[in-house]
Amino acid sequence: MTKIDTRLNVAPVPPDEIFALNGAYAVDPHPQKVSLGVGVYRTDDGKPWPLPVVEKAEQQLVKDNDLFRHEYTAIEGDVPFLGIARDLMFGFEGKPSEEDAKARIASVQTVAGTGANHLGALFLAHHMKPTNVWLSNPSWANHQTIWELAGVPRKTYPYYHAATRSFDFDGMMDTLESDAQEGDVVLLHACAHNPTGLDPNKEQWVAIADLCERKKLFPFFDSAYQGFASGSVVEDAWAVRYFFNNKPDMEMCVAQSFSKNFGLYGQRVGAFHYCTNRASTSIRDIVVNNLCHLIRGEFSMGPRVGCSIVKKVLTSDELTAEWHQDLQVMSSRIKSMRQALYNELVRLQTPGTWEHIIQQNGMFSYTGLTPKQVYALKDKYHIYLLKSGRASISGLSQKNFAYVAQAIDDVVRNEI
């Protein structure tokens, strides 16, 4: 065996499960294969859906023929886009205190939601030095990687109650109450929790905000599905806006993604917003300055084309109205597929309870299937979902939901 002469100290790391699963699906020749893994919207024909309003914006941008369309932006990103992204997230809507509220928010453009999460984690690790970050159990797997790379110790709070397949509000609150320390970061999913699809109700969000304020915890919102989850950008931003408006003496931040709600998965459009408390607005520009220092050393500035599309849509009343219609199309199809799968499982009298499928929200369902059942679905039926049982509902269609339900029924019965 040849000795490798290197100064590197490296060992293999596990492949990303979602992308590995998608790769296996892509090369599977089976005619009835079904992809329930990757979190992207698909039509009922199983095809990508460039939003009609996005296509219209693209055509207008080509017609504009802006000579600066390939030029550098500022380090903080496209400044007009940042104001639009901020207003979409926080929803000022001409309130008397609008200028004071905006003065609290330091915004920069990022490489989509992943980049916003990463930049926020890095910024807090450098400048706040939290003892721990608290992640929901379970959470989006990439949250673990992002905070690991930022060097912040990770702890988890209960989130999913397996026996009832419901949100474990009491477990979450009890753990944070007893174990979280002042200055700890608490990562919260703004809506459409990934992977469970279970969100706190408004009363529970109020209680979570009260706990964060009382214990001096730092809320870090990941907002990946605004408008995509319910079809309403206002409803899906409710938690973020409540924390911001009703806890003005508490600092917080938001990682904002436009991948799902504009279908701009490959364009990498995102923003990071750091919210100062109302007594510290004088540091907003210093926060932006320090965020720019990190950005300059990593990627210099955010991508231009995707944010230009978002800007074109959200600066036109006509296109904005069309975008809201597109959001309704996507969210309605997801809801109808949840209902169709649930109805078929009930019709088949599949053992167990399946109400959680229609009680959950957004792109994903935490099905409650075991790893053994998931592997059986893949091996026997060529149905691909994560070993946790997380299924991307957008992979269901009128053509395959009955096939998927029958397969689930079979693997569940075979394990009894």
Side-chain angles (χ1 to χ4, degrees), residues 86 90 92 97-108 123-124 127-128 213 217-219 221 240-254 272-291:
R86 176 201 62 201
F90 294 93
F92 303 106
S97 59
E98 179 177 345
E99 290 308 311
D100 290 339
K102 288 181 179 179
R104 292 176 51 200
I105 305 172
S107 301
V108 293
F123 177 75
L124 296 180
H127 299 290
M128 200 175 77
E213 181 180 49
L217 307 178
F218 184 91
F221 278 99
V240 170
R241 296 179 183 185
Y242 178 85
F243 274 62
F244 180 77
N245 294 319
N246 292 276
K247 304 297 180 184
D249 296 320
M250 182 171 65
E251 295 181 75
M252 58 180 277
C253 67
V254 183
F272 176 74
H273 309 281
Y274 187 97
C275 306
T276 71
N277 62 58
R278 60 183 168 184
S280 303
T281 56
S282 61
I283 71 164
R284 182 190 67 173
D285 291 345
I286 300 174
V287 171
V288 171
N289 174 259
N290 278 270
L291 287 166

Side-chain angles (χ1 to χ4, degrees), residues 56-66 312:
K56 190 173 289 188
E58 288 174 323
Q59 292 166 5
Q60 291 185 14
L61 288 168
V62 170
K63 186 177 179 181
D64 290 346
N65 194 30
D66 180 8
K312 176 65 77 172

Side-chain angles (χ1 to χ4, degrees), residues 162-228:
T164 57
R165 300 179 182 179
S166 62
F167 169 45
D168 189 1
F169 174 68
D170 291 339
M172 173 183 179
M173 296 295 282
D174 290 347
T175 297
L176 293 177
E177 183 69 59
S178 61
D179 296 342
Q181 305 173 41
E182 180 177 333
D184 280 359
V185 174
V186 181
L187 198 141
L188 304 164
H189 300 228
C191 66
H193 181 271
N194 180 2
T196 69
L198 296 165
D199 294 329
N201 61 37
K202 291 178 180 177
E203 283 186 3
Q204 291 168 335
W205 275 124
V206 170
I208 293 167
D210 289 344
L211 183 146
C212 289
E213 181 180 49
R214 179 168 44 79
K215 288 187 66 71
K216 295 185 167 72
L217 307 178
F218 184 91
F220 189 129
F221 278 99
D222 186 356
S223 178
Y225 299 95
Q226 186 185 4
F228 183 97

